[in-house]
Amino acid sequence: MALERTLSIIKPDAVAKNVIGEIESRFEKAGLRIVAMKMLHLSREKAEGFYAEHKERPFFKDLVDFMTSGPVVVQVLEGENAVLANRDLMGATNPQEAAAGTIRADFAQSIDANAVHGSDSAESAAREVSYFFADDEICPRG
Ligand code: RTP
Ligand code: MG
């Protein structure tokens, strides 16, 4: 299996909880490498564009409200099967259903404030990585 990349976001609830380091540490311990990262406060426009696939969903406004409520940390993770490996570390979307020991089970409060985002496929990952990072902002293992 070739190296893969995925986009991860530490959402405003986890940033407010001061667990950025603990979450990054889980990625690293699982063998994923952080090859790009930035902290930023999303504008509504940027958040709406990112979640455009959910535009017609009833939770869209709440999702955008939440994602713009405070700063986030956005990173590109690189590793074997990175998309799936990150989804496994995150746990289910609803923290109530997330397996013990996953990021969402340990740090998330609700389906809205669910601590992290991770790309759901290689195709989404390619789109989401380029939504936040220029090629020269990504520093793969040399
Ligand atoms: P994410 O995109 O954040 O990694 O999460 P996901 O794939 O597990 O969930 P997705 O279906 O893509 O939904 C994106 C985010 O929208 C919020 N959501 N709320 N109230 C609801 O029924 C509901 N469903 C989804 C969640 O915050 C989810 O992470
Ligand atoms: Mg998703």
Side-chain angles (χ1 to χ4, degrees), residues 30-135:
L32 295 171
R33 185 169 286 261
I34 299 159
V35 294
M37 78 190 303
K38 60 176 81 164
M39 188 171 195
L40 72 166
H41 196 137
L42 294 175
S43 65
R44 280 200 88 77
E45 189 187 12
K46 189 84 177 173
E48 286 172 356
F50 182 71
Y51 282 116
E53 65 182 307
H54 294 313
K55 208 166 59 188
E56 306 305 328
R57 299 283 200 83
F59 58 80
F60 183 69
K61 184 180 177 296
D62 285 347
L63 177 60
V64 172
D65 285 348
F66 174 65
M67 290 300 288
T68 56
S69 66
V72 297
V73 178
V74 185
Q75 54 267 311
V76 180
L77 305 176
E78 188 178 82
E80 300 282 320
N81 281 316
V83 170
L84 227 86
N86 181 42
R87 299 285 293 188
D88 285 348
L89 292 171
M90 289 162 57
T93 309
N94 183 348
Q96 243 92 318
E97 291 159 16
T102 60
I103 293 169
R104 283 169 168 163
D106 291 345
F107 301 119
Q109 284 108 24
S110 67
I111 196 162
D112 296 306
N114 65 356
V116 279
H117 163 84
S119 307
D120 61 13
S121 66
E123 294 70 38
S124 307
R127 176 174 50 78
E128 293 178 358
V129 166
S130 62
Y131 191 75
F132 281 106
F133 295 97
D135 284 348

